[in-house]
Amino acid sequence: MTVIKPHASHWGYFDAVVENGRVTSVRPFAHDPEPGALIGATPDIVHAACRIDRPYVRKGWLEGKRRGHLRGGEPFVPVPWDRATRLLAEEVRRTRAEHGDAAIYGGSYGWSSAGRLHHARTQLHRFLGMGGGFTSSTTAYSYATGQTLLPHILGTTEVLLGRVTDWAAIRRHAKLMLCFGGLAAKNGVVNSGGAGRHDYLPLMRAAAAAGVRLVNISPFRGDTEADLGAEWVPIRPGTDAAMMLAMAHTLIENGREDRAFLRTHCVGWDKLRAYVTGEADGTAKTPEWAATITHVPPETIRRLALECADKPTMLTAAWSLQRADCGEQPYWMLAALAAMLGAIGKPGQGVAYGYGSTNGVGAPRRALPAVSGPSIRNPGLHIPVARVTELLERPGEILQYNGRDIVLPDIQMVWWAGGNPFHHHQDLPRLQRAWARAETVVVQEPWWTAVARHADIVLPATTTLERNDIASSSRDRFVRAMHQAIPPIAQARNDADMLADVAEELGYRERFTEQRNEEAWLRHLYDRWRRVCATQGFEAPDFDAFWQEGHVEVPPIEPGEEYTQFADFHADPEEHPLDTPSGKVEIFSETIHSFGYDDCPGHPVWIEPREWLGAAEKTAEHPLHLLSFQPATRLHGQLDPGRVAAADKIKGREPVLIHPEDAAARGLQDGDIVRVFNARGACLGGVRLADGLLRGVVSMATGAWYDPARPGDPASLCVHGNPNVLTADIGTSRLGQGPSAQSCLVQIEKWEGELPPVRAHAPPAIEESAAV
Ligand SMILES: Nc1nc2c(c(=O)[nH]1)N[C@H]1C(S)=C(S)[C@@H](COP(=O)(O)OP(=O)(O)OC[C@H]3O[C@@H](n4cnc5c(=O)[nH]c(N)nc54)[C@H](O)[C@@H]3O)O[C@H]1N2
Ligand SMILES: Nc1nc2c(c(=O)[nH]1)N[C@H]1C(S)=C(S)[C@@H](COP(=O)(O)OP(=O)(O)OC[C@H]3O[C@@H](n4cnc5c(=O)[nH]c(N)nc54)[C@H](O)[C@@H]3O)O[C@H]1N2
Ligand SMILES: [Mo]
């Protein structure tokens, strides 16, 4: 019998086709203009061999090998659910009593799944928060640096992750758009909370067709689609701030800076001006100066700067630019450039970050909220998310962050639900060593991912298709009903239910569940959203009608309703000040200056990154710059066992994009297996020749499941191709403390040995006989 169920994921809305209790295929959402290939891999992962079938405990943990013991190399022992629940309750109680609430790290960063009710991280935060609090994380890997910097400069993070000037306004008013890091097509396949309409490319194409000239300033030509007709300006990674400073120099030299706007809408222009002209430090930031750093010809820099002054211009940068050493600088300097052009708040012009980073950024829409999940309250401490290894390594020591000195707590218990640090974190060998400092690591996962393999107590979670939920995002006009399609696989349970059972052992089940079952929760969350919409002029159908129909459509905007961010500030900065200390754009920030950080001074500057091609010139050891980009074939580590990711791999390994001449210099041919290495680690990959890559740059997608040749040994080769065994784990600066994955030098050589098997997609060793 065939049944069709409406459903959703971060990579698209779809209808699930269910035959005899199995999801056999999916059909794209009828309102989606470009559904993308990833939804097709959904059935593969739901029924994958690496689903976790029962709760498990690491054998060594049961024997008392806890603190100081490296994880990841030992067999797991199955335990019944009630035993797992009791063990967890005992561990939480003991940890809180002996070490205090701050000893539990539940930051649990990660994308989880699209549904708002069963969002694993939300449920875990609620559970740990109610139980007395925990050490959590703040900011996101995606844009931690921008999130910390931009409130100082522009008074908001909206310009990075919220309602930015939309493509309708850009299309109508702009003539030029400079895109640092491009507008990569692959990034538009996904959106956190669900992608209903993939409007990403259609909106860009419409802007290009309307006469907006796009410029892709990036090491990779493929960061814009050929049909957008963009100019490609290759640039060395990590050097964008230098190019922007030289553009500023050209504007000053030609008297093209908007002095009136700089006077009425900005503070600190004189300080940046003195730095750019060289008055302040003796070095004029000329295009010739920048050319030696960026390898962008001086005439290109001059031409682009003057074109910006001549035409209505939008400036944007991909989120990737700030996931790099001193990633604050290109973001700050881009805002300063937009201020020099007087463009901030002019219709369809100015600056915003991330048009090329995820579906829905700049999609025209009404200012309505998304359906939100259950509430969370945590009285505990928040640590910048990408400093997790330091948190484990340096208890009692100080972490400087954004003007504050945070004393790092002594973490004894780590609990993760809906995220995978052994996917997302930098320098995995170092993380694995620091991980050994915890007594207990708990992981809730549907699959035997690397984080589950490095845990002590592993709880099998359902996938979204095994439960009912609601997908919703403020970046999408469609709210989607997610109907349960199949019963839970094996002994998998919903994250909320497993936590409710532990809460019961600890005496707060009723507070945790608010005495609602799944259906009551969904009605509650939906009705709450519906009431807010009603106050803002949108009448959504009632829950039953929504559930029956499978979705709610928020109507599109009308012509004339195009949105330009900062428009009211532009019109009247006194009446509509920014939320900065001065109320203006802070080209110089007294606040940041007062922190005294030499890695992020009071105005944007060029600071040489630790690892970049300029440094590689001086040492022959690791001459290639490795970029690790978001994968076209997956969502991070999710979907890696599916058909789309499998079809892209080379002999089962993650492709390494390399310029044909860099390959030839190493005797490498397309399809060869290589070892990519530096002083931190090594992984295998498959050669893919790419002439659209700047010479000296190599590039690998993130997301191939970490697969150490010797499980449990941090010095192991990853045989599958996870670039995070190579990346450096150093905060962007003391201001942002974001991840700096993009600042990474490597060497590549042909792999001559026998090819080790990839084992990441099969379950780890399990000892049935030791069952307790
Ligand atoms: N080198 C390098 N590293 C990077 C980046 C980079 O550019 N370069 N980018 C960074 C960025 S921007 C991000 S956002 C991170 C992404 O890092 P993550 O968000 O941690 O990556 P995911 O693979 O999406 O992890 C989500 C996990 O949740 C699990 N999961 C899914 N559904 C459920 C559920 O219902 N219940 C439970 N319990 N679990 C579930 C999935 O199996 C998966 O393991 O990576 C970062 N890492
Ligand atoms: N299909 C798919 N889409 C995704 C995701 C996914 O996993 N899969 N993940 C989502 C998430 S969580 C996020 S945060 C976003 C991330 O969105 P982004 O950060 O924009 O994505 P990246 O692929 O890391 O980087 C985009 C491009 O920036 C270029 N680049 C890198 N370093 C530099 C530099 O120093 N200068 C310049 N000029 N260019 C540079 C690279 O060539 C790269 O292709 O993507 C989202 N979209
Ligand atoms: Mo991200």
Side-chain angles (χ1 to χ4, degrees), residues 287-333:
E288 284 70 23
W289 166 83
T292 63
I293 297 168
T294 60
H295 284 193
V296 179
E299 51 279 15
T300 305
I301 300 178
R302 280 206 176 84
R303 171 172 56 81
L304 289 174
L306 294 176
E307 191 181 347
C308 287
D310 285 339
K311 292 182 181 168
T313 299
M314 188 71 195
L315 300 176
T316 190
W319 291 340
S320 59
L321 265 75
Q322 45 85 73
R323 289 199 298 282
D325 202 10
C326 295
E328 291 80 4
Q329 303 311 320
Y331 263 41
W332 198 345
M333 193 54 214

Side-chain angles (χ1 to χ4, degrees), residues 287-466:
E288 284 70 23
W289 166 83
T292 63
I293 297 168
T294 60
H295 284 193
V296 179
E299 51 279 15
T300 305
I301 300 178
R302 280 206 176 84
R303 171 172 56 81
L304 289 174
L306 294 176
E307 191 181 347
C308 287
D310 285 339
K311 292 182 181 168
T313 299
M314 188 71 195
L315 300 176
T316 190
W319 291 340
S320 59
L321 265 75
Q322 45 85 73
R323 289 199 298 282
D325 202 10
C326 295
E328 291 80 4
Q329 303 311 320
Y331 263 41
W332 198 345
M333 193 54 214
L334 195 67
L337 260 187
M340 290 178 72
L341 296 171
I344 295 175
K346 270 194 195 161
Q349 301 167 59
V351 64
Y353 306 84
Y355 288 103
S357 296
T358 197
N359 189 54
V361 175
R365 60 170 156 102
R366 291 170 194 288
L368 288 173
V371 179
S372 56
S375 62
I376 299 160
R377 216 187 65 78
N378 175 31
L381 197 65
H382 292 73
I383 309 291
V385 69
R387 306 283 33 93
V388 56
T389 295
E390 276 188 72
L391 166 66
L392 295 167
E393 280 174 347
R394 308 203 282 119
E397 293 181 29
I398 283 177
L399 178 81
Q400 291 187 296
Y401 169 58
N402 197 20
R404 281 185 287 138
D405 285 355
I406 302 174
V407 181
L408 297 172
D410 189 0
I411 301 300
Q412 302 284 340
M413 182 177 205
V414 175
W415 195 323
W416 231 284
N420 182 356
F422 282 82
H423 155 75
H424 66 234
H425 196 56
Q426 286 58 64
D427 199 343
L428 291 180
R430 182 173 154 201
L431 172 67
Q432 197 182 350
R433 289 186 194 98
W435 207 241
R437 304 202 46 149
E439 286 187 332
T440 303
V441 178
V442 186
V443 168
Q444 303 168 210
E445 257 287 349
W447 295 277
W448 280 113
T449 58
V451 71
R453 288 167 193 263
H454 290 81
D456 301 319
I457 302 177
V458 181
L459 305 174
T462 50
T463 67
T464 62
L465 284 139
E466 295 145 60

Side-chain angles (χ1 to χ4, degrees), residues 325 386-387 390 426 430 610-611 680 728-733 737-741:
D325 202 10
R387 306 283 33 93
E390 276 188 72
Q426 286 58 64
R430 182 173 154 201
R610 288 182 197 86
E611 295 184 33
R680 289 176 290 266
D729 177 16
I730 302 172
T732 50
S733 80
Q737 290 290 11
S740 59

Side-chain angles (χ1 to χ4, degrees), residues 99-128:
H99 307 286
D101 299 324
I104 301 177
Y105 182 61
S108 187
Y109 180 85
W111 268 50
S112 306
S113 57
R116 299 298 82 178
L117 169 61
H118 290 292
H119 189 252
R121 185 185 193 222
T122 303
Q123 291 289 346
L124 178 64
H125 283 185
R126 191 173 151 82
F127 163 80
L128 291 174

Side-chain angles (χ1 to χ4, degrees), residues 109 111 140-143 319 323 357 630 635-636:
Y109 180 85
W111 268 50
Y141 274 81
S142 318
Y143 35 56
W319 291 340
R323 289 199 298 282
S357 296
Q630 309 288 324
L635 170 68
H636 318 130

